[in-house]
Amino acid sequence: MASWQDKAAAKRASLATLIPSDLKLSALPGSATLNVTLFPFDSVLSHRDVEITETVNVSILLKKISEGEWTATEVVSAYYKRAIVAHQLVNCLTEIFIDQALARAKELDDYFQATGKTIGPLHLKDQIDVKGVELTMGYVGWIGNVSKENSVCAQLLLDQGAVLYVRTNVPQALMFGESVNNVFGTTSNPFNRNLTCGGSSGGEGALIAMKGSPLGVGSDLGGSIRIPSAFQGLYGLRPSYNRIPYCGSTNSMEGQEAITSVLGPMTCSVDGLKVFMQAMADAKPWLSDPVALRLPWNDAAYLLADHGGDGARLCFALMWDDGVCRPMPPYIRALRETKAALEAAGHKGTRFSPSLVKPVSHVHIGLFNADGGHDIALARGLSGEPKLGWSTVLDSEPKHLSTYEYWQLCRERTIFIKKHLDHWNDTVSTTGTGRPVDAIIAPASPSAPSQHNTPGYIYYTGFCNLCDYSAAVFPVTTVDPAIDVKLPAHEFRSVNDQTNYENCMNEPETFRNAPISLQCIGRKNEEEAVIRMTEIVSAALQA
Amino acid sequence: MASWQDKAAAKRASLATLIPSDLKLSALPGSATLNVTLFPFDSVLSHRDVEITETVNVSILLKKISEGEWTATEVVSAYYKRAIVAHQLVNCLTEIFIDQALARAKELDDYFQATGKTIGPLHLKDQIDVKGVELTMGYVGWIGNVSKENSVCAQLLLDQGAVLYVRTNVPQALMFGESVNNVFGTTSNPFNRNLTCGGSSGGEGALIAMKGSPLGVGSDLGGSIRIPSAFQGLYGLRPSYNRIPYCGSTNSMEGQEAITSVLGPMTCSVDGLKVFMQAMADAKPWLSDPVALRLPWNDAAYLLADHGGDGARLCFALMWDDGVCRPMPPYIRALRETKAALEAAGHKGTRFSPSLVKPVSHVHIGLFNADGGHDIALARGLSGEPKLGWSTVLDSEPKHLSTYEYWQLCRERTIFIKKHLDHWNDTVSTTGTGRPVDAIIAPASPSAPSQHNTPGYIYYTGFCNLCDYSAAVFPVTTVDPAIDVKLPAHEFRSVNDQTNYENCMNEPETFRNAPISLQCIGRKNEEEAVIRMTEIVSAALQA
């Protein structure tokens, strides 16, 4: 029987054979070239391919297709070519299925004017089942695991005119914030290849940053959409539980529902969030996913009906620190710039004090390890491959909890989220709008995308998963070592705090050019309002 | 230290002292008087008290208050008096807090014309925390357990003008379908005191049937709103998960969320369902309950926007049998009468074949016993009282599952509910409306309310809890031994099937006058449409 190393090597070799010779890069940039977003794509792609793929605004892209300026086939071709080039630079793909994509594009070209339904090309993270396509989720033992059916999400996207053409890299088992596994290796951050692209939807983030796709679908259990979106300067939305259909997609630790993983969009332009969410809601996922909520797209909510109406003065609470792990200087700068931009646009910025509601990372870690690592061990055991994963998410020697112990963790989560909600409601006295704060603005992470193999702290995003808040990330700036200088060590409040400081502050130059992004966090089920408020914040930043 | 028996006796004695002497019945009806709904209330209550409490239509009741014909104080007084009389006949109350209720009524009388918010008097099951009121949930060891805060549900009801005045009896731990515990004993069915009132919201059901309240709140984990509503000829709605706020209410096995318990209304008139659900939605529970869904009352859904619009021809699928446990003759008669009534009203009745989607009671039982009975044992251990409960719900020797085993049960549930949804969707070929069936009409139970201490089968209601379908019960008929004659034994398909036959068929006379009710089952999150369709079916039955 082949070793796990041989199986993984064979899979990588097989993926490599899917790269057409005319798209194979004859000379790869040297390791000193850290920022590969500046790669001269016109050396491989046609002028039109470059033009198409650099049309980052998803609405404009769709308009050009619907007006017949570009065919679906042209658009899909441009993107798959760029995706394949991107893959050679940052190792972001796991499956390439161009024939299926081109056949679908041809169907759309034949019929799109009648249906008017094309929402543009999309790709999917390596956990969303697509009929006839292999799904490994980062496990060597799952090589050859071809999906028999489309997941509900893939099916509805296809029904809405999407074209699926590649799958992207993830961490082993999806369960940490760095996209590395024993099958496909590590995906690098296109802005600085010494850094991680984040995870778990990291291949997705890297691909979109390389403009190998305008929009993709990731999943988020602790930040897996938002962290890679943030680390690549993208827009990414974590919808609340069961808004986007998960049914038929594969996941780690299925049955763990105390924190429910969600699917959501990642895209290079803010309008992509709305395009995706509206298209998915219009597809009525509740008719085919038994746990999807019956929530049509709500235009009144998008127009901020519960926030004074569109155009009203909003009050955002800035979260400068979560009380556990102090954000590094570029995030403080990003918060300051955002506050100034919001105030210049007529809005108000207050402070969100986390003192009463510190993230409860032990609840996350307890829930994620409650089966004693059994689920992941079973999948690893199929091939004998070694375990990967950060100690900040996965215990090195997890205890297998009894059901009663597991329920007590669920109860502790409920106490935390009620306290957090009460705290949010209490802000009504500070806003001057008559409402509690409309949204929280928080760092997506306390650290810039870290160097490879460096555990990170995921609870700036993670508390939203516990509370089920709808939350979008948006880009603000990039690390500039000249400004974001090393701070003296502060009095560390926790091991996480100390590790984060040491990982991030040793040498700011290490993080040059890394995207720095914030989150716009709304209440549970406020996807529409969060998208609108993210548009408002982004517009303020650009003004 | 006092024995559990002494503590329970003291609690009952203390409850008895709260019965005012002018409401104490000097002579109780003898045990041969089975139907106590016919009790001559005018022998104890004034003419006006009787008139008020027999105004079963909740909307009319509210109208009379809002027009000043009756004051809130008068209405509350009438209901608490009748509730106290009812208690002496069927043993349905656990707490009586009249002073608090009258003070609240006075406030409402002073201000209701300004606020227009009175929604009428309500009472609560013994698990919904009310500040300052004792909550035992059927445990001797919880005697003296006074709630420090109002639950979100109680608070919002008070905010909407409700008056809370009593609490009602439940099974020990809430976990079986008969309202009996070691503190308060057994609550009887007012229509036939030899029979059970059902559970877990059984005291509630009995009280409303006695017209000791027009509307109350129960909870439903496997049928606990619907079974007692059905057994008392009431209307009761099981909303989908997290529509009505549960936060701050007490429950058994908190942290068990694989099947989420829900709160919902029980009422003697169908319009009460809408009054309650609309009032609760208007109170925006999502602002104070961290898991409540952001779902305002949806008038378009109530007007059947997803079912062809109000007035359209509907197609109902009748479920004659769940494939496990055959319903007894009065249910078949009720289904037949309902089908004929619907067809006479211009609607269509088809058959819902459960052959592909038999209820998976082992999943329910597995989940309910997954902690090895630890949660309940801890609460019983406080007093040393013995365990109660049916073997059809609670294992006699439950195995304590590991978290991994628990997750596998959750996965099995997901497979079942997806299969059930697909099966529902497949009915589109049989309806003639272009839609899948609009609702399922099913028995609320395969048996009439059974004799005391007789285990029942709860999976006619239970499958809706798994699938999270919105479902309402409505009354159709009562057992008539002359028509609902004993059937010869059929070939039993399961132990449940045989037990149900033997419990129910030995002597039809036993069940004389027992209410027989059906469910109108809509999809997940279809509360509004289910209420409207229940109104339509009820109107057809009355025509």
Side-chain angles (χ1 to χ4, degrees):
Chain A
M1 209 179 104
S3 69
W4 70 262
Q5 291 92 337
D6 290 345
K7 288 178 187 165
K11 176 68 189 172
R12 286 193 299 272
S14 146
L15 182 64
T17 63
L18 296 173
I19 300 178
S21 57
D22 59 329
L23 294 176
K24 198 156 283 178
L25 300 182
S26 50
L28 290 169
S31 61
T33 304
L34 297 181
N35 183 349
V36 291
T37 62
L38 306 174
F39 181 81
F41 286 95
D42 52 7
S43 65
V44 197
L45 307 184
S46 71
H47 175 72
R48 194 175 181 95
D49 288 340
V50 172
E51 186 193 354
I52 289 172
T53 53
E54 297 199 347
T55 307
V56 294
N57 186 299
V58 176
S59 306
I60 293 175
L61 186 70
L62 295 178
K63 190 156 172 280
K64 297 218 180 205
I65 298 172
S66 69
E67 289 175 352
E69 188 172 336
W70 295 332
T71 65
T73 303
E74 281 177 311
V75 171
V76 170
S77 301
Y79 275 113
Y80 88 69
K81 288 177 192 166
R82 188 154 178 151
I84 286 172
V85 174
H87 177 61
Q88 296 170 75
L89 299 169
V90 294
N91 191 37
C92 53
L93 303 185
T94 60
E95 302 292 334
I96 301 172
F97 38 105
I98 295 165
D99 292 348
Q100 192 171 323
L102 288 175
R104 178 75 184 138
K106 183 164 186 316
E107 282 174 22
L108 293 172
D109 280 334
D110 291 347
Y111 297 104
F112 88 99
Q113 283 188 319
T115 64
K117 273 175 134 184
T118 304
I119 67 157
L122 285 152
H123 58 289
L124 298 169
K125 181 175 179 183
D126 197 352
Q127 71 171 114
I128 300 174
D129 292 57
V130 177
K131 190 173 175 175
V133 176
E134 200 168 299
L135 184 151
T136 65
M137 218 171 75
Y139 287 128
V140 177
W142 288 13
I143 294 171
N145 171 35
V146 175
S147 300
K148 292 191 188 65
E149 301 289 343
N150 283 325
S151 58
V152 172
C153 179
Q155 186 60 49
L156 297 187
L157 287 170
L158 289 167
D159 291 348
Q160 296 282 307
V163 178
L164 313 175
Y165 55 101
V166 291
R167 233 208 262 280
T168 52
N169 204 23
V170 294
Q172 183 189 62
L174 312 177
M175 288 304 294
F176 56 107
E178 186 173 359
S179 294
V180 55
N181 59 63
N182 295 314
V183 187
F184 300 105
T186 299
T187 305
S188 296
N189 192 309
F191 292 90
N192 183 331
R193 293 196 293 171
N194 282 341
L195 306 179
T196 182
C197 61
S200 63
S201 316
E204 197 85 359
L207 177 67
I208 300 172
M210 292 296 287
K211 303 192 171 68
S213 165
L215 202 154
V217 183
S219 71
D220 198 308
L221 178 66
S224 284
I225 287 170
R226 289 164 291 157
I227 293 172
S229 294
F231 283 6
Q232 260 84 212
L234 308 176
Y235 296 87
L237 175 71
R238 179 212 175 268
S240 294
Y241 298 156
N242 301 320
R243 184 87 197 251
I244 302 299
Y246 217 105
C247 180
S249 292
T250 303
N251 199 1
S252 268
M253 306 189 291
E254 289 177 5
Q256 186 288 102
E257 297 160 354
I259 308 178
T260 302
S261 179
V262 299
L263 301 183
M266 303 169 67
T267 172
C268 38
S269 78
V270 65
D271 73 310
L273 301 180
K274 187 180 173 202
V275 166
F276 176 87
M277 292 302 291
Q278 195 161 7
M280 287 305 288
D282 289 349
K284 303 188 177 181
W286 55 86
L287 295 180
S288 40
D289 180 329
V291 300
L293 297 174
R294 196 177 191 89
L295 285 174
W297 175 259
N298 186 334
D299 245 326
Y302 174 74
L303 294 172
L304 300 179
D306 293 328
H307 300 274
D310 211 22
R313 184 180 194 223
L314 300 172
C315 181
F316 297 89
L318 288 98
M319 188 169 147
W320 299 89
D321 192 326
D322 77 344
V324 177
C325 194
R326 180 183 287 190
M328 290 299 98
Y331 284 100
I332 301 302
R333 182 164 60 81
L335 285 164
R336 226 178 262 137
E337 288 173 14
T338 303
K339 182 171 193 289
L342 284 168
E343 287 172 353
H347 302 294
K348 186 169 172 182
T350 61
R351 173 181 291 267
F352 190 84
S353 156
S355 55
L356 293 170
V357 286
K358 283 185 195 172
V360 282
S361 58
H362 69 280
V363 173
H364 285 263
I365 295 173
L367 292 168
F368 293 164
N369 293 276
D371 71 341
H374 191 61
D375 180 274
I376 295 175
L378 281 180
R380 279 194 300 104
L382 294 173
S383 71
E385 66 178 311
K387 183 176 175 182
L388 302 176
W390 295 346
S391 59
T392 48
V393 183
L394 296 175
D395 273 341
S396 52
E397 289 183 19
K399 177 172 175 288
H400 198 154
L401 302 186
S402 72
T403 295
Y404 183 78
E405 292 169 317
Y406 179 72
W407 289 350
Q408 304 322 302
L409 277 175
C410 295
R411 295 178 69 168
E412 201 174 338
R413 179 217 53 207
T414 302
I415 291 167
F416 169 77
I417 66 178
K418 171 63 172 161
K419 205 185 283 183
H420 207 281
L421 182 62
D422 287 346
H423 186 56
W424 187 317
N425 289 335
D426 288 345
T427 62
V428 69
S429 62
T430 66
T431 58
T433 61
R435 305 182 299 274
V437 295
D438 297 293
I440 299 169
I441 304 283
S445 165
S447 69
S450 50
Q451 292 172 276
H452 296 297
N453 302 314
T454 308
Y457 173 85
I458 63 164
Y459 304 105
Y460 275 86
T461 47
F463 81 93
C464 300
N465 299 78
L466 278 190
C467 295
D468 198 23
Y469 294 148
S470 300
V473 294
F474 55 94
V476 179
T477 186
T478 55
V479 173
D480 179 346
I483 313 175
D484 302 315
V485 295
K486 185 171 179 173
L487 286 183
H490 56 283
E491 192 176 328
F492 298 122
R493 295 165 295 186
S494 63
V495 174
N496 283 323
D497 193 29
Q498 180 168 1
T499 310
N500 186 56
Y501 175 82
E502 288 167 357
N503 288 344
C504 295
M505 292 308 299
N506 283 340
E507 184 45 79
E509 180 60 35
T510 310
F511 305 98
R512 176 179 291 278
N513 208 33
I516 296 295
S517 305
L518 301 178
Q519 300 176 81
C520 174
I521 301 167
R523 291 173 186 249
K524 179 181 174 78
N525 301 137
E526 283 215 292
E527 291 86 352
E528 286 89 342
V530 163
I531 291 172
R532 183 75 194 112
M533 289 192 279
T534 304
E535 291 169 351
I536 287 169
V537 179
S538 298
L541 279 166
Q542 278 151 29
Chain B
M1 206 178 106
S3 68
W4 71 262
Q5 290 92 337
D6 290 345
K7 289 179 187 164
K11 176 68 188 172
R12 285 192 300 272
S14 147
L15 182 63
T17 64
L18 296 174
I19 300 178
S21 56
D22 59 330
L23 293 176
K24 197 156 283 177
L25 300 182
S26 51
L28 289 170
S31 63
T33 304
L34 298 180
N35 183 349
V36 291
T37 62
L38 305 174
F39 181 81
F41 285 96
D42 51 6
S43 65
V44 197
L45 307 183
S46 71
H47 175 72
R48 195 177 181 91
D49 288 341
V50 172
E51 187 193 353
I52 289 172
T53 53
E54 297 199 347
T55 307
V56 295
N57 186 300
V58 176
S59 306
I60 292 174
L61 186 70
L62 294 177
K63 191 158 172 280
K64 297 219 181 205
I65 298 172
S66 69
E67 288 174 353
E69 189 172 336
W70 295 332
T71 65
T73 301
E74 281 177 310
V75 171
V76 169
S77 301
Y79 275 113
Y80 89 68
K81 289 177 191 165
R82 187 153 179 152
I84 285 172
V85 175
H87 176 62
Q88 297 169 75
L89 299 169
V90 293
N91 190 39
C92 53
L93 303 185
T94 61
E95 303 292 333
I96 300 172
F97 37 107
I98 294 165
D99 292 350
Q100 192 171 320
L102 288 175
R104 178 75 182 138
K106 182 160 187 316
E107 282 175 21
L108 293 172
D109 280 333
D110 291 348
Y111 297 106
F112 90 98
Q113 284 190 316
T115 65
K117 272 177 139 184
T118 304
I119 65 158
L122 285 152
H123 58 288
L124 297 169
K125 181 175 179 182
D126 196 352
Q127 72 171 113
I128 300 174
D129 291 59
V130 177
K131 190 173 175 176
V133 177
E134 200 168 298
L135 184 151
T136 67
M137 220 171 73
Y139 288 126
V140 176
W142 288 13
I143 293 172
N145 171 34
V146 175
S147 300
K148 292 191 188 65
E149 301 289 342
N150 283 324
S151 59
V152 173
C153 179
Q155 186 59 51
L156 297 187
L157 287 170
L158 289 168
D159 291 347
Q160 297 281 306
V163 177
L164 313 175
Y165 56 102
V166 290
R167 233 207 263 279
T168 52
N169 204 22
V170 295
Q172 183 189 61
L174 312 177
M175 288 304 295
F176 56 108
E178 186 173 359
S179 293
V180 54
N181 59 63
N182 294 315
V183 186
F184 301 104
T186 300
T187 304
S188 296
N189 192 309
F191 292 91
N192 183 331
R193 293 196 294 170
N194 282 339
L195 306 179
T196 181
C197 62
S200 63
S201 317
E204 196 86 0
L207 177 67
I208 301 173
M210 293 296 287
K211 302 194 173 66
S213 165
L215 202 155
V217 183
S219 69
D220 198 309
L221 178 66
S224 283
I225 288 171
R226 288 163 292 156
I227 292 172
S229 295
F231 284 5
Q232 260 84 213
L234 308 176
Y235 296 87
L237 175 71
R238 177 210 177 270
S240 294
Y241 298 156
N242 302 320
R243 185 86 197 252
I244 302 300
Y246 217 105
C247 180
S249 293
T250 303
N251 200 1
S252 268
M253 307 189 290
E254 288 177 5
Q256 186 289 101
E257 297 160 354
I259 308 179
T260 302
S261 179
V262 299
L263 300 183
M266 301 169 66
T267 173
C268 38
S269 79
V270 66
D271 73 311
L273 301 180
K274 187 181 173 203
V275 166
F276 176 87
M277 291 300 292
Q278 196 162 6
M280 287 304 289
D282 289 349
K284 303 189 178 180
W286 54 88
L287 295 180
S288 40
D289 180 330
V291 301
L293 297 174
R294 196 178 191 89
L295 285 174
W297 175 260
N298 185 335
D299 246 326
Y302 174 73
L303 294 173
L304 301 179
D306 293 327
H307 299 273
D310 211 22
R313 184 180 196 222
L314 299 172
C315 181
F316 297 89
L318 287 96
M319 189 168 145
W320 298 88
D321 192 326
D322 77 344
V324 177
C325 194
R326 182 185 286 192
M328 291 299 98
Y331 284 101
I332 301 302
R333 182 163 61 80
L335 285 164
R336 228 179 258 133
E337 287 173 15
T338 303
K339 182 172 193 288
L342 285 168
E343 286 171 353
H347 303 295
K348 186 169 172 180
T350 61
R351 174 181 289 271
F352 190 83
S353 156
S355 55
L356 292 170
V357 286
K358 284 186 195 170
V360 282
S361 58
H362 69 280
V363 173
H364 285 263
I365 296 173
L367 292 168
F368 293 163
N369 293 275
D371 70 341
H374 190 61
D375 180 273
I376 295 174
L378 281 180
R380 281 195 298 104
L382 295 172
S383 70
E385 65 178 312
K387 183 176 175 181
L388 302 176
W390 294 347
S391 60
T392 47
V393 184
L394 295 176
D395 273 340
S396 51
E397 290 183 20
K399 178 172 175 288
H400 198 153
L401 302 186
S402 72
T403 294
Y404 183 77
E405 292 169 317
Y406 179 72
W407 289 351
Q408 304 322 301
L409 278 175
C410 295
R411 295 179 69 168
E412 202 175 337
R413 179 216 53 206
T414 302
I415 291 166
F416 169 76
I417 66 178
K418 171 62 172 162
K419 207 187 280 184
H420 207 280
L421 182 63
D422 288 345
H423 186 55
W424 187 318
N425 289 334
D426 288 346
T427 62
V428 69
S429 61
T430 67
T431 58
T433 61
R435 305 182 299 276
V437 296
D438 297 294
I440 298 168
I441 304 282
S445 165
S447 69
S450 49
Q451 293 171 275
H452 296 297
N453 301 313
T454 309
Y457 173 85
I458 64 163
Y459 304 105
Y460 274 86
T461 48
F463 81 93
C464 300
N465 299 78
L466 279 189
C467 295
D468 197 24
Y469 294 148
S470 299
V473 294
F474 55 94
V476 179
T477 186
T478 55
V479 172
D480 180 346
I483 314 174
D484 301 316
V485 296
K486 185 170 178 173
L487 287 181
H490 57 284
E491 191 177 325
F492 298 123
R493 295 166 295 185
S494 63
V495 174
N496 283 324
D497 192 30
Q498 179 168 0
T499 310
N500 186 56
Y501 174 83
E502 288 167 357
N503 287 344
C504 295
M505 292 308 298
N506 282 340
E507 183 46 79
E509 180 59 36
T510 310
F511 305 98
R512 177 179 292 277
N513 207 34
I516 296 295
S517 306
L518 301 177
Q519 299 176 83
C520 174
I521 302 168
R523 293 173 184 249
K524 179 181 173 78
N525 301 137
E526 282 214 293
E527 291 87 353
E528 287 89 343
V530 163
I531 292 172
R532 184 75 195 114
M533 289 192 279
T534 303
E535 290 168 351
I536 288 169
V537 179
S538 298
L541 280 165
Q542 278 151 30

